[in-house]
Amino acid sequence: MSWTHRRRWTSAVLCGVSLALVATACSSGKESDSAATGPQHQTGPISLVYAQKQGDQEYFIGEADGAKAKAKELGVDLKVVNLGNDANKAVTEVNNAINQKASGVIVVVPDPSVGPQVAQLTKTGGVALLTSDDQVCTTGPDPAKCAKDQLVPRVGFSGTQMGTEVGRRAGEDFKKAGWKPEETAIVDAWKQDVTVCTDRVEANKKAFRAAAGVDVRVIDVGTDNTPSDAQNKISATVAGNRSVKNWIVMGCNDENVSGGVAAIQNSGYAAENVLGVGLGAYLACKEWRGGKPTGFKAALFINGKDVGALAVQTIYDYLKNGKAMPAEAFAPTTMVDSSTWQQVGVPCS
């Protein structure tokens, strides 16, 4: 593969993205040492590697399907790799992509600490880099402490916007239920070293207070973002707080809420005393499809297919046409519940 232009690292931000997705506001375009690369005009075939954490999770399966469909449409050779939760595998697979002369890599890192290494490898190897879902910093392990022009371009969802929607719905439903604040507790569960998760949780707390009009005690629970770990951790939380009569469950994703709702109901609480608002809807819909009473009351639907398709389109446009990659591009979301999820088109495999 030959490159006809000297690679440059830039913080250029592109306003307006395809597929009716919303991008962030434009920056100055000043050149820097960031992970965004300068204009490219690749004339030959384009090959991409999409390396995802937790590739067997419903959301990421949808993301891979969307990426594959878009790659087929564009004539791109795409390889999807499941990294699981192995951060070292992320580094290995990026190295493999470079050795196999891939044109570009899209990555969802299992742990942001490997971000600088991944960014440096692709820069040295002359391979374009784009992240989806989770942020990656080129200069340090914690994207939350990273200068904005040192973040790798990202396609996904706005953590703040999503958390706000979740918290608002939980606050509104809390008011409708007529629960007393002193008899209620909120469990907020998430993987606490993932920046986008923290963004969601901070936003859901703020939005809940605004919608509910009162303060309710919040118990933060650290998990690995899987249902089983959330269930184990929240079971212990419930056991230590038996005086609580009503539970509200929020978190980073459907997995945390699903595990939390299961833990609380398995501890003897009725579905009517649990108010879970998820993020994803891919697990919530399974509860609703069964028709049984559940504490999983609502979820924000995020469509992984949109993100996968946009990620492929974004890096293709950059490689083929020299179109600068946006600092961040966001996909739309929709709040659903047991009465609306089917008409909205939530896939529920």
Side-chain angles (χ1 to χ4, degrees):
M1 175 181 67
S2 64
W3 301 90
T4 58
H5 290 73
R6 179 176 61 88
R7 297 187 65 82
R8 296 179 300 167
W9 295 68
T10 179
S11 61
V13 180
L14 176 66
C15 281
V17 293
S18 59
L19 303 180
L21 301 176
V22 182
T24 53
C26 288
S27 73
S28 65
K30 180 181 176 182
E31 288 191 9
S32 73
D33 241 359
S34 82
T37 47
Q40 301 295 325
H41 298 282
Q42 186 169 335
T43 57
I46 290 176
S47 61
L48 302 174
V49 172
Y50 207 134
Q52 304 172 299
K53 70 176 183 182
Q54 299 173 333
D56 56 351
Q57 187 186 97
E58 293 285 346
Y59 169 80
F60 290 114
I61 291 171
E63 185 176 77
D65 289 343
K68 290 173 184 176
K70 179 57 68 173
K72 183 177 181 180
E73 174 190 324
L74 297 174
V76 169
D77 179 19
L78 175 70
K79 178 183 179 182
V80 177
V81 179
N82 179 11
L83 303 175
N85 288 306
D86 189 344
N88 291 328
K89 189 174 181 181
V91 176
T92 299
E93 292 297 340
V94 168
N95 260 322
N96 289 341
I98 294 168
N99 293 335
Q100 293 164 11
K101 308 299 182 183
S103 311
V105 173
I106 305 165
V107 63
V108 190
V109 292
D111 189 318
S113 64
V114 299
Q117 188 175 0
V118 167
Q120 186 59 49
L121 284 171
T122 53
K123 181 181 180 181
T124 302
V127 173
L129 176 65
L130 175 69
T131 66
S132 71
D133 305 289
D134 299 341
Q135 287 183 314
V136 163
C137 180
T138 65
T139 55
D142 186 356
K145 299 177 181 177
C146 189
K148 289 186 178 180
D149 63 353
Q150 301 301 322
L151 292 169
V152 176
R154 180 179 78 92
V155 171
F157 296 96
S158 165
T160 298
Q161 180 265 329
M162 289 191 298
T164 297
E165 292 293 326
V166 168
R168 181 184 299 124
R169 177 60 182 257
E172 292 170 350
D173 285 0
F174 166 79
K175 289 179 69 176
K176 290 177 183 177
W179 293 349
K180 296 179 180 179
E182 63 272 18
E183 297 177 348
T184 305
I186 298 170
V187 169
D188 240 327
W190 79 105
K191 193 172 189 295
Q192 296 177 351
D193 61 353
V194 176
T195 307
V196 293
C197 284
T198 301
D199 290 345
R200 297 172 192 179
V201 169
E202 289 179 351
N204 75 38
K205 292 175 182 176
K206 182 178 180 180
F208 178 89
R209 285 193 299 270
V214 296
D215 283 326
V216 173
R217 180 164 64 105
V218 179
I219 303 172
D220 291 332
V221 178
T223 74
D224 65 4
N225 278 350
T226 64
S228 58
D229 194 53
Q231 184 168 344
N232 290 336
K233 299 289 178 57
I234 294 173
S235 290
T237 299
V238 173
N241 292 274
R242 295 304 302 186
S243 62
V244 174
K245 294 184 178 180
N246 306 299
W247 288 95
I248 297 166
V249 188
M250 299 186 289
C252 179
N253 53 19
D254 256 25
E255 282 77 5
N256 281 290
V257 177
S258 176
V261 168
I264 296 167
Q265 292 188 184
N266 288 346
S267 297
Y269 287 83
E272 63 187 23
N273 297 110
V274 185
L275 200 175
V277 181
L279 207 162
Y282 43 83
L283 295 182
C285 68
K286 295 180 180 180
E287 295 282 328
W288 303 329
R289 186 174 58 189
K292 296 180 180 179
T294 176
F296 213 143
K297 298 300 194 297
L300 191 67
F301 175 42
I302 56 175
N303 194 341
K305 288 185 178 181
D306 287 345
V307 174
L310 181 61
V312 171
Q313 183 73 61
T314 298
I315 200 167
Y316 173 87
D317 288 342
Y318 164 72
L319 291 166
K320 201 73 173 178
N321 306 315
K323 188 176 181 181
M325 290 190 283
E328 289 188 294
F330 300 142
T333 59
T334 306
M335 185 64 69
V336 296
D337 55 30
S338 60
S339 65
T340 62
W341 70 274
Q342 289 176 307
Q343 65 193 52
V344 170
V346 176
C348 202
S349 58

